[in-house]
Amino acid sequence: MTLPSHAQIVVIGGGIIGCSTAYHLARDHRADVVLLEQGRLTSGSTWHAAGLVGQLRSSAGVTRVLKYSVDLYKGLAAETGLETGWKMTGCLRLATNADRWTDYRRLATTARSFGMEMHLISPAEVKRMWPLMEVSDLVGASWLPTDGQASPSDITQSLAKGARMHGAKIVEGVRVTGFGMTGDRIVSVKTSGGEIACEAVVNCAGQWARQVGALAGINVPLQPVKHQYIVTERVEGLAADAPTLRDPDRRTYFKEEVGGLVMGGYEPNPQAWTTGDVPDDWEFRLFDDDFDHFEQHMGQAIARVPALAGAGVKQMINGPESFTPDGNFILGAAPECANMFVGAGFNAFGIASGGGAGWVLADWVINGEAPLDLWTVDIRRFAEMHRDRRWVCDRTLEAYGKHYTVGFPHEEYESGRPRIVSPLYERLKRRRAVFGSKLGWERPNWFAPEGVEPRDLYSMGRQNWFPHVGEEHAHVREAVGVFDQSSFAKYEVTGRDAARALEHVCANRVDRAPGRLTYTQLLNSRGGIECDLTVARLAPDKQGGDRFYIVTGTGFRTHDAAWIAEHLPAGDVAIRDITEDWGVLSLMGPKAREVLAKVTPADVSNAAFPFGHVREITIAGAEVRALRVTYVGELGWELHVPLDATGAVFDALMAAGAPEGIRPIGYRALESLRLEKGYRAWSSDITPNDTPFEAELGWAVKLGSNTDFIGRAALQAQAGRPLAKRLACFTIADPEAVLVGRETILRNGQPVGYLTSGGYGYTVGHSIGYGYVRNSEGVSDDYLASGAYELVVANERFPAQIALRPLYDPENLKVKA
């Protein structure tokens, strides 16, 4: 086919993700689409994928994507006339120990929360369903009847035919060589067969996606890893409808194929392919068989399925799969380029994800925003550090090795650390800090007392840090603590039009007098919360231009900067990331003012320095930007310090606060404190799926003003009408209930939602969870208050109390439980 001179959208890559994206762009949006494949369709990773299709993930949005794939595959052949090899065989996941079984009990609860069918069954039931299996070591298994398997190449060809049927053009044998750019926008795709002018590009180039992105200055942090599986000759007694089988404690998986077995696994010592470029001509190619490396799987697999020992090996597949540093795939709008979208890095879940990924990518390209909350797979979760190929390789291999390990709550990665440290790192380490990592930053999670080993010991119940975090929590409630929050993302927005521009982007009013601080959300067109941050208006610059200082969460640095930059209206306005210019020390607790007054000549009384204000004050000879704000429900300040002065200011605070018992506090206490006070956390309690009204944050929306802002129309349509869901707080008195999120909420015995976050409140003495209660006819105060509630925790029901007000309210000196 001759290349057209122009297309509305160019999709790069003819694997399952690219073909699905082209199909949905053409079918759902009638878009003018050209798909380019440098070899032939499926010739990259798709053709040698194992073809297992599972649906349940810990994210509701990603689970919805996977469920969509299954629904699509069921009916695709009827539309296109090409079979997909789809078989809804169901999937068994085996458990051989108590931790894995607890994990499955939690997953069963998550499945119920997400509206999926999942059962926990006995070893005897497993044996009945899979007679060839050895079950003597099993505790039990989970059973997902709607999971299945498919033929990767057949699905892809069926999607490609469907795309053509709806008008998409597919061109094979054409390689992308570069992009024509105007500023940060792609205006054309340069190829070995000519140049195509276009309005948007979707990079679905699989293991080449990093290289394709780099042609436009975009970082796609992928690492190809060698993944092996075998295909056996016929296995006597194996049913054609045998469920797919995952045996994570033995790191292996199985599926039936033409009377034999496909068996592979995820070893703890994976083999990376290359940190350089993947060869362009890697078409339908594999690596040499590596039976020495694969042997670790064979022994485990034969112990589970003894009949495997007598089955001949028909073929070994040893091919590269694209993996990512956190084990989640990559979707969305690239932050470095206004009109390149990416769908890549599927961590061997490409077939399971393909249908749904194409659906959301197509919608994202056309409408400019994700159709649902997809933060866990959003490309904007990465940062500049992810350009380091060696670091990406090391972390990706660790993530690959964890593919089948038990997912303990609060577990941290270990590779590539420490990557970024604040000036206080050594000081806090000497004080026995146990660090976690967020977007490369080392942050103290908790502090081990003398005699306690300063490291996390993971478990499914209360972990070793639980009582020590309780002591830190109490200290902030009763005295004063210092949090090192230097990892906060920080931006400066400047220009003569900055105030007007931010009024358009922010849901709350930020065009206030210099010295004022505003908490605000940034909304999408549906009224959903895309960002959640504080905006401080500073004194004008020397030319009289506006100056704003924006602070947001560590992990949202790339995401929030990109969202703001993409949505600022034209004019004299610019955003600059200044995260590394400032350290942050949060001084919190009822004695915070006493300590702060000792180290600065500034008047920090309530009259001179009220809540929601920002002042420049001097501490230890440094000019400090002090923000009167709190995330713990106590008197406090965020002290933003020039980075090189952070250590001196910390030392001054610790010396001055000694009589008040000042001590450093970690992030796990911060989480507990914010749960008691009812502060929302973006990406869990508030997401792009949730409006401020639903999240009980309507007070932070300027609907009463005449100012237009993004999302205003959607909120006006919702204002004054019954809400179909509302965020509520729940407590459980039973000390055995450990809440981590996604637990099902029962009202009068019926499921009405699930928890978005969970933890423990040491002041109230109960487990605390937040979640949206749903009712299509409306969720009023009376509806919430009149129900009898339970929470399903690890498949067990616990009585729960609902709270419609913060559990902890220091102003009224009330603690509710």
Side-chain angles (χ1 to χ4, degrees), residues 11 79 93 97 167 204 227 307 398 437 577 602 663 676 710 757:
V11 177
E79 177 188 348
R93 289 174 171 84
N97 57 68
C204 301
H227 183 74
E398 183 184 4
S437 179
D577 188 318
R663 60 181 286 188
E676 286 187 340
I710 299 170
S757 63

Side-chain angles (χ1 to χ4, degrees), residues 497-511 520-524 563-570 573 702 707-712:
D497 299 319
R500 176 184 60 81
L502 285 176
E503 282 292 295
H504 172 72
V505 172
C506 298
N508 204 350
R509 187 165 71 89
V510 297
D511 187 6
T520 185
Q521 294 95 43
L522 280 56
L523 310 180
N524 56 39
W563 180 269
I564 295 168
E566 289 166 12
H567 293 86
L568 287 175
V573 57
K702 59 190 176 199
T707 306
D708 191 20
F709 59 90
I710 299 170
R712 180 181 183 114

Side-chain angles (χ1 to χ4, degrees), residues 303-389:
R304 178 62 65 210
V305 184
L308 193 62
V313 175
K314 185 191 303 182
Q315 186 181 16
M316 170 171 271
I317 303 293
N318 185 5
E321 297 271 5
S322 290
F323 286 80
T324 64
D326 60 4
N328 290 320
F329 53 85
I330 299 174
L331 289 182
E336 306 95 333
C337 179
N339 60 340
M340 179 183 272
F341 297 79
V342 179
F346 281 83
N347 303 277
F349 280 105
I351 309 308
S353 312
W359 158 55
V360 296
L361 265 176
D363 197 281
W364 209 328
V365 174
I366 295 296
N367 295 315
E369 59 189 35
L372 65 159
D373 173 27
L374 292 168
W375 166 243
T376 58
V377 296
D378 194 320
I379 190 172
R380 293 171 293 182
R381 71 188 188 273
F382 300 117
E384 190 65 24
M385 60 177 283
H386 292 96
R387 292 183 182 274
D388 182 336
R389 297 293 305 135

Side-chain angles (χ1 to χ4, degrees), residues 538-556:
L538 308 178
D541 62 25
K542 293 179 180 177
Q543 289 74 41
D546 300 327
R547 291 172 63 228
F548 291 87
Y549 182 62
I550 297 178
V551 183
T552 191
T554 304
F556 315 135

Side-chain angles (χ1 to χ4, degrees), residues 428-496:
L428 299 177
K429 196 173 182 180
R430 288 194 295 271
R431 293 174 181 270
R432 305 176 60 76
V434 181
F435 291 94
S437 179
K438 193 69 168 283
L439 207 63
W441 285 83
E442 292 292 314
R443 313 191 312 173
N445 278 336
W446 62 285
F447 292 82
E450 290 294 336
V452 174
E453 186 179 7
R455 73 182 182 99
D456 288 331
L457 298 177
Y458 300 120
S459 74
M460 284 297 184
R462 300 287 182 209
Q463 298 185 0
N464 65 317
W465 45 262
F466 182 77
H468 312 303
V469 169
E471 293 173 7
E472 295 177 30
H473 173 116
H475 197 81
V476 175
R477 287 278 183 252
E478 297 163 6
V480 60
V482 176
F483 300 83
D484 180 9
Q485 297 189 281
S486 299
S487 63
F488 272 160
K490 314 163 197 85
Y491 324 115
E492 196 168 69
V493 177
T494 56
R496 289 187 301 277

Side-chain angles (χ1 to χ4, degrees), residues 539-604:
D541 62 25
K542 293 179 180 177
Q543 289 74 41
D546 300 327
R547 291 172 63 228
F548 291 87
Y549 182 62
I550 297 178
V551 183
T552 191
T554 304
F556 315 135
R557 177 178 180 176
T558 305
H559 174 275
D560 288 9
W563 180 269
I564 295 168
E566 289 166 12
H567 293 86
L568 287 175
D572 179 21
V573 57
I575 180 171
R576 185 167 65 96
D577 188 318
I578 55 173
T579 297
E580 274 81 21
D581 293 354
W582 297 87
V584 180
L585 300 176
S586 292
L587 183 70
M588 300 285 160
K591 297 182 180 179
R593 181 176 282 114
E594 297 171 44
V595 176
L596 189 58
K598 293 180 184 180
V599 297
T600 180
D603 185 350
V604 295

